[in-house]
Amino acid sequence: MAEPGDLGELGDLLRTEAVAEPFPDLARIREEDPVHWSSRHRAWLITRHDDCAAAHTDSRLSSDRMTPILRRLEERRASPQLIAMVSVLAAWMTFKDGEDHRRLRRLVNRAFTPRVVALMRDQIAAIADGLVDELPESGAVDLVSTFAYPLPAIVIAEMLGVPSEDRDRFKSWSSDISSLVFGAVDDPDRHERAESGMTELVEYFEGLIESSASRGGDESLLDHLVRVRDEDDDALSRNELLAMCTLLLFGGHETTTNLLSSGILALLRNPDQKDRLLADPSLAETAVEEFMRFDGPSRMSVRVAAAPIELRGKEIRAGDRVFLMLAAANRDPSRFERPNELDVGRKPNQQIGFGLGPHYCLGAPLARLEGQIAIPQLFRRLRSLELDTGASLAWRPTLLSRSLESLPARYGAVLPASAVA
Ligand code: HEM
């Protein structure tokens, strides 16, 4: 029998059982050793809501974990393609600290405004309806590949001004890169695929940026990023623009796919909550917050200690990796009543699935809007939608994300969009 604090394999977030169902292990860690050293990942797991929230604003915890990797690759004289790819990642603002981060965030905030997001409302609804229109009239379907995966890819591609005929290439580059960034363990070719995906994506964006700059465009988010200036007339350099485009594509895609698929799954498993949401569309906002809390797409935010930190009697040394476990914090019973129950009307709901503090998710308003529109619309249009109980659910064995490989479901009929308006 394990002693408290002796949590054995529980700190292994990639154990088969923990990939399928992470919450029991995380609950034990949070209760018995809330600041837990995982020897498997060589990282501290911070699991309580209050600690996780505070850590997101602690300047002793750095987001820059790419510069050391880049330096090591340069010292080892790694291939130019690999160095080029990691250089793009290292330029992402999500991996920057302090003033370097604030400067980029200030500029992108001017382009990625609430107005730009709100303008997407009708397009998101039209994209969701278009995807449902393509489904078979009835029967079995995988809702990840047919709905949750393409929807956010099309949304962010449209926002960035990618022509529709290029969308498929765009989607495949995005998934090549995410297999690396989210740390898929079952994919030995992920480095090669990510390298070539990033090279092609960067070349593609160079073309789009060029054409936006020469047209003087003022329509897409990319046009706004190309033209943005702050009060001091500062602007994004060409490399910063390229990094920002790849970050937005990447940040805007796979995470939102996972929100849609785990939200749909949560409703399929909790039909009373599904009926409640469909009976009262004004619950769409609280429902999406609850999907984020209940089984959100990001399992953690990653930091590196830039200075020694003492937390709950543990000594975190400078240089240690620290995982801020959003998935554990969002089910902390000291913050949420009945944390393991789905409640689409939950209020208040201080879920931290989009992070907090300076790096708080830039795309949160867009992801929320996509979830609020697309998930209820899918249920309204697919009559008697239910999980395909004959098929099993597989979760990707990735460290950072909660990602369903497929979502097998069945339904009796597709109602036309006009019938549910
Ligand atoms: C449900 C979907 C999403 C989830 C769960 C999510 C989650 C997160 C989290 C947890 C962070 C903070 C990371 C940290 O503190 O280290 C973050 C940052 C970020 N997200 Fe999202 N995100 C989502 C959707 C989006 C979308 C749609 C976009 C863009 C279109 C986006 C763009 C970004 C960017 C650019 C950052 C970096 C912000 C910064 O460093 O200042 N995300 N996201």
Side-chain angles (χ1 to χ4, degrees), residues 18 31 34 105 116-117 151 217 225 233 255 276 281-282 313 381 390 415:
E31 276 155 30
R105 181 81 190 213
V116 167
V117 173
L151 187 138
L225 287 168
D233 208 29
T255 46
R276 205 178 148 202
S282 75
R381 291 202 53 199
L415 297 179

Side-chain angles (χ1 to χ4, degrees), residues 93-94 101 105 156 247 251-252 255 297-298 303 353-355 358-359 361 363 367:
M93 70 175 169
T94 186
H101 169 258
R105 181 81 190 213
I156 192 70
L247 171 59
T255 46
S298 290
R303 299 289 186 268
F354 288 115
H359 289 279
C361 177

Side-chain angles (χ1 to χ4, degrees), residues 137-148:
E137 278 171 26
S138 63
V141 74
D142 166 25
L143 290 174
V144 173
S145 57
T146 57
F147 190 75

Side-chain angles (χ1 to χ4, degrees), residues 14-85:
L14 292 171
R15 268 182 339 124
T16 313
E17 300 84 338
V19 168
E21 181 56 51
F23 301 105
D25 287 7
L26 292 176
R28 257 197 77 194
I29 299 173
R30 191 180 54 232
E31 276 155 30
E32 296 182 21
D33 191 28
V35 177
H36 175 69
W37 174 255
S38 160
S39 45
R40 162 73 163 85
H41 303 296
R42 306 199 54 72
W44 293 97
L45 310 185
I46 312 282
T47 53
R48 288 183 48 146
H49 189 284
D50 48 359
D51 292 340
C52 260
H56 276 90
T57 54
D58 188 332
S59 59
R60 294 170 300 174
L61 288 170
S62 164
S63 289
D64 182 5
R65 51 190 198 279
M66 282 296 159
T67 310
I69 297 179
L70 186 58
R71 269 200 217 111
R72 270 202 303 279
L73 290 175
E74 284 166 349
E75 278 161 20
R76 275 204 283 128
R77 298 184 191 283
S79 75
Q81 294 89 327
L82 181 59
I83 292 181
M85 181 189 69

